[in-house]
Amino acid sequence: MLTNTALEPAGQDYVTIKGIKNGLVFKLADDVHFDKVLDALTAKLGNGSSPFSSGAKVTAFVDYGNRVLTPEIQDAVEKAFLAVGEIQVKVYQESMVEDEPVPHKLLPKAPYVYKGTVRSGQMVEHDGDVIIIGNVNPGAHIVASGDIYVFGRLRGYVHAGASGNVRAIVAAAYFEPIQVRIATVIRRSPEAYAHPAEMEFAHLEGDQMAVEKMSFLQHFQTLIMSDKAVI
Amino acid sequence: MGEAIVVTSGKGGVGKTTSTANIGTALALLGKKVCLVDTDIGLRNLDVVMGLDNRIIFDIVDIATGNCRIEQALIKDKRFDQLYMIAAAQTKDKLALSTSAMQAIVHKLKMDFDYVLIDCPAGIEHGFRVAITGADQAIVVTTPEQAAVRDADRVIGLLEAEKIPPAKLIINRIRPHMVKNGEMLDIDDIISVLSLDLLGIVPDDEQVIKNANQGEPTVVKPDSKASQAYRNIARRIIGDPVPLMNLQEQSGFFKRMKKMMGLG
């Protein structure tokens, strides 16, 4: 018993397991003979508490450290995993353990400014606010995760808050879009609509879309701020 | 070195071929050496409009595949010595002509001709891409209809992406009385959407259909309104500052309409 417990930690040190988002990383020591590492790995996988014993499908990323990777070594490792079950074995690369993407609202993105006419069939897509200095023609698409501002005639399809931001707005000097989407709410332009000679913007009130004169924007944003305080 | 101008529209049936035939003939009337090139492979009809369909021996695909020299495929017009055309192949499909082959053909034609007018097929696929390669300028033809304007807008975007200088616009088949009654898109509306320079407007004229069926471009008959419109367009192409027919033509037309209705 004593000898066993004394030996085991040393052997287990050769293989460390770490969980990442899309699987498990098996870090194999690169400063001892490979046979020892392989034994340690086999022991760990054969162990009843192995992460694969539950039967869950997990991808194994093997980190060989500085060890020179020969086909024999790779083969032996893969075999050790296959002895346990149908496990997908991949060579570990730094990029696989990137941090979880931070929700974009925490990162204010620079607005994208497009100068010129956006024509039918053309698409402007940006993660953040989009500013168009020019016309958006029928058949053109603008998609933004933030707000959309058109300094010209808006006659195309626009989708603000495309990644779910219900507070996004669509504003245009001449507001005549074919279709407006904010987050998941879709609105067609009314067939007959008397356009005031003033810049307008569309925003959401619950699941309804409203179009207001630009002078209302400040009030709208104050409402949003108070809304935020409640949340 | 001449100039290659592609006539395109996106939508079919707006008058690309008719415009190509008439502008080409009008340029020839002004003493320019002109070659018309039909790139609508599989659906050629520039030869029919020009009344030269019975003279085709070799076509553009024959040149591309090396079956003949360019000179052999040039069909001389029966009315003007300075006017030639190259027909499209009728039995092949669009893929029979590659962009590189088209570029080489256009480049060679530009050496011999003042103007090379390329009649583009409808659509924005391979045939369109082939037709616009090698073009120095583009003319976009549209009619006062929403569908045609929207397709024209799409095509203008594609031309811009290909780094072809800003296209010139021809608004074809205008019916002044319908525009006046607000039943047809207004010229200013179309220009405000497409934001292009207007090269000319062509009134809807039954004479055009009649002449096309006879294989006779309308411009050779100076009396019709459409003929005058195409002649003006040709003059603008060679850089003649013809007063913007836009309003003038319209008022002329309105006067005529009024006269017809006994108001003038």
Side-chain angles (χ1 to χ4, degrees), chain B residues 11-19 141-145 148 170-179 184-185 187 190 200-206 208-209 212 226 229-230 233 253:
Chain B
K11 190 176 178 296
V14 297
K16 285 180 296 297
T17 303
T18 313
S19 295
V141 183
T142 190
T143 56
E145 292 162 89
I170 291 180
I171 305 174
N172 198 8
R173 282 208 212 121
I174 292 180
R175 298 187 190 187
H177 63 285
M178 286 184 78
V179 175
M184 205 172 226
L185 285 181
I187 294 157
I190 298 170
I201 59 169
V202 182
D204 196 24
D205 193 337
E206 284 174 9
V208 177
I209 303 167
Y230 278 121
I233 289 169
F253 232 81

Side-chain angles (χ1 to χ4, degrees), chain A residues 3-36:
Chain A
T3 47
N4 249 351
T5 43
L7 273 175
E8 240 192 281
Q12 276 190 347
D13 274 351
Y14 298 149
V15 179
T16 34
I17 306 176
K18 198 174 98 184
I20 58 168
K21 198 175 68 184
N22 37 1
L24 291 169
V25 178
F26 288 77
K27 187 167 170 40
L28 308 186
D30 52 7
D31 50 357
V32 288
H33 193 272
F34 179 68
D35 288 348
K36 282 188 179 174

Side-chain angles (χ1 to χ4, degrees), chain A residues 114 117-122 135 137-140 153 155 157 178, chain B residues 146 150-151 153-158 160 189 192-196:
Chain A
Y114 180 95
T117 308
V118 189
R119 298 187 181 276
S120 173
Q122 293 178 331
N135 293 347
N137 281 356
R153 232 171 246 281
R155 290 171 169 174
Y157 298 85
I178 295 178
Chain B
Q146 288 286 13
R150 208 162 291 189
D151 286 4
D153 192 43
R154 177 90 170 98
V155 157
I156 295 160
L158 294 171
E160 279 171 0
D189 281 349
S192 105
V193 169
L194 299 179
S195 45
L196 285 191

